[in-house]
Amino acid sequence: MRRIRRTEGTGRIDVARLANHYLKALALCLAVSALMYLFTPDKPYQVPLVYSLCIGSLIWAIAEAGSYLLSPSTRPGWPPGIKGLVLVLVAVAGGYLFGTLAADRWFGWSSWDRGLLEQRSSWLVSLLAGGAGCYYFYSRSRQSQLHGEVQQAQRLAAEARLKLLQTQLEPHMLFNTLANLRALIAADPSQAQQMLDHLIAYLRATLGASRITEHPLSDEFDRLRDYLELMSVRMGARLCYDLDLPPALSTHPVPTLLLQPLVENAIRHGLEPKVQGGRIVVTARGDGDWLELEVADSGVGLAQDVDVAHGGGFGTVQVRERLQAAYGDRFTMKLIANDEGGTRALIRFPLQKTEAPQAAAV
């Protein structure tokens, strides 16, 4: 039997759960009374019914109160170890004793005047039925606890995985930028200084985002704008970009820096190899209960050896794994080769109608 759960922080008894347990105990009492009536057809059904209800109700009440008193911690459930076994014996003995007295008072006779053999039969029935009921509620309580622990472990694992992926992602972008900066220092010191200023501003802006697992979609687009401005210093007129974020979607929470690997791939594999450069368009749109994010470029297109079905390189694999950790199987990610050239990266996941979390202070 599961102890009465308290609502966290309020200390109130969960009446609904208590009533649910008692209804199950009553069902067991009715089953026992019917079984006893089959073996004693010479007595009216009222006799085993009243005794079964009185004894069963008191066993349930003692077990519920005992589990509540013996497990006052915030973790609900049956008392562990020897305390749980003692509680069963006390509940069965107390329920039989006081339940029999209550039923005797109802009928106006004394059961203690019966023969020893008949009393032993009553004791055996009470012990078996009470033990079965306690074991049932103990099993349900244990199952509920394990289910809660599994969910908690899965949630912690997902959060840890997101943080690990994030720590892998940020150095990846940083090393590429520093390599580009090193090349510019020798070729164009003025432009290198301008790029360094943008890099400092970008790192300052992303510092807060790196401390959380998700942020509003508007922050995601702001980080993309910072990054694209940074890349514009190096590529000049060869890079043009558009960011299209409807105001209605601006507060929707998304994993931090989710789109940056896709934008980085579009520049590195699409626009940089193309002499005249090209354009990147990042779009967010709602589709019913789903959110679609698209990164499209007019670059050289997908290489023939790219695994389109599973995403190919490091950046897209990172995005796919982060989506898997955040949304399970409720997402899709596609790389599509445009007919007129270039590539579209399209991801789709549930549109959560919740308020976005506050960004961490820098």
Side-chain angles (χ1 to χ4, degrees):
M1 186 179 299
R2 297 175 66 178
R3 81 170 176 83
I4 303 172
R5 185 195 293 272
R6 288 185 173 189
T7 304
E8 290 186 6
T10 63
R12 296 173 58 186
I13 294 176
D14 189 341
V15 178
R17 186 179 300 277
L18 193 65
N20 178 273
H21 285 185
Y22 185 55
L23 288 177
K24 292 177 179 177
L26 287 181
L28 180 60
C29 292
L30 294 176
V32 171
S33 64
L35 184 64
M36 293 179 65
Y37 179 68
L38 291 177
F39 288 96
T40 56
D42 55 319
K43 296 181 180 179
Y45 176 66
Q46 182 185 10
V47 174
L49 176 63
V50 172
Y51 276 92
S52 179
L53 290 177
C54 291
I55 295 174
S57 296
L58 285 172
I59 291 177
W60 167 82
I62 295 172
E64 283 283 2
S67 62
Y68 178 74
L69 294 175
L70 294 175
S71 297
S73 65
T74 56
R75 181 181 181 182
W78 191 263
I82 192 66
K83 292 192 296 185
L85 180 60
V86 171
L87 178 59
V88 174
L89 297 177
V90 170
V92 172
Y96 177 80
L97 177 61
F98 295 106
T100 300
L101 291 175
D104 285 351
R105 187 175 181 82
W106 174 274
F107 290 109
W109 65 53
S110 175
S111 298
W112 312 112
D113 296 334
R114 295 178 299 173
L116 183 59
L117 180 60
E118 190 174 355
Q119 291 190 37
R120 286 178 179 177
S121 301
S122 299
W123 266 102
L124 182 60
V125 171
S126 299
L127 181 61
L128 293 177
C134 290
Y135 180 76
Y136 169 77
F137 287 115
Y138 163 78
S139 301
R140 294 295 301 271
S141 172
R142 184 61 179 163
Q143 183 180 9
S144 178
Q145 282 185 3
L146 291 176
H147 181 68
E149 291 173 357
V150 169
Q151 286 188 322
Q152 177 70 9
Q154 290 176 338
R155 186 163 50 251
L156 293 176
E159 292 175 358
R161 188 173 181 81
L162 281 174
K163 291 183 180 298
L164 176 61
L165 292 175
Q166 196 174 51
T167 59
Q168 293 174 338
L169 178 64
E170 290 169 354
H172 181 69
M173 172 266 169
L174 185 59
F175 290 148
N176 286 344
T177 304
L178 290 177
N180 293 328
L181 182 61
R182 183 179 182 276
L184 273 179
I185 289 175
D188 189 344
S190 176
Q191 194 173 23
Q193 184 176 1
Q194 187 180 0
M195 186 175 186
L196 183 59
D197 291 339
H198 280 293
L199 178 60
I200 292 172
Y202 173 77
L203 293 178
R204 180 181 294 113
T206 55
L207 182 59
S210 68
R211 295 171 178 169
I212 57 178
T213 57
E214 61 179 25
H215 60 184
L217 191 54
S218 59
D219 286 0
E220 181 73 10
F221 272 62
D222 288 343
R223 300 293 81 76
L224 291 180
R225 184 177 293 104
D226 293 334
Y227 176 74
L228 288 168
E229 285 293 328
L230 189 61
M231 291 298 102
S232 295
V233 174
R234 180 167 57 84
M235 297 183 64
R238 295 177 61 235
L239 174 61
C240 300
Y241 70 87
D242 291 307
L243 302 177
D244 182 11
L245 174 62
L249 299 175
S250 61
T251 60
H252 186 275
V254 295
T256 56
L257 304 179
L258 177 67
L259 297 178
Q260 181 173 309
L262 302 179
V263 174
E264 190 174 355
N265 279 350
I267 293 177
R268 184 177 182 182
H269 303 293
L271 301 186
E272 282 188 334
K274 194 173 182 177
V275 176
Q276 65 272 33
R279 178 177 295 275
I280 292 178
V281 179
V282 183
T283 307
R285 52 181 172 267
D287 181 15
D289 294 332
W290 297 85
L291 175 65
E292 288 185 351
L293 301 176
E294 179 181 297
V295 177
D297 68 80
S298 59
V300 297
L302 290 170
Q304 293 183 352
D305 58 346
V306 170
D307 184 354
V308 176
H310 298 89
F314 174 83
T316 49
V317 170
Q318 294 292 316
V319 173
R320 187 181 297 278
E321 291 185 355
R322 297 188 70 192
L323 289 170
Q324 178 72 40
Y327 304 104
D329 295 331
R330 301 189 65 197
F331 82 93
T332 59
M333 179 175 176
K334 300 177 181 176
L335 291 180
I336 304 170
N338 289 329
D339 295 336
E340 61 275 18
T343 306
R344 293 168 57 212
L346 181 64
I347 60 179
R348 178 182 169 94
F349 51 85
L351 184 63
Q352 301 175 15
K353 298 177 180 179
T354 57
E355 293 185 358
Q358 297 295 323
V362 178

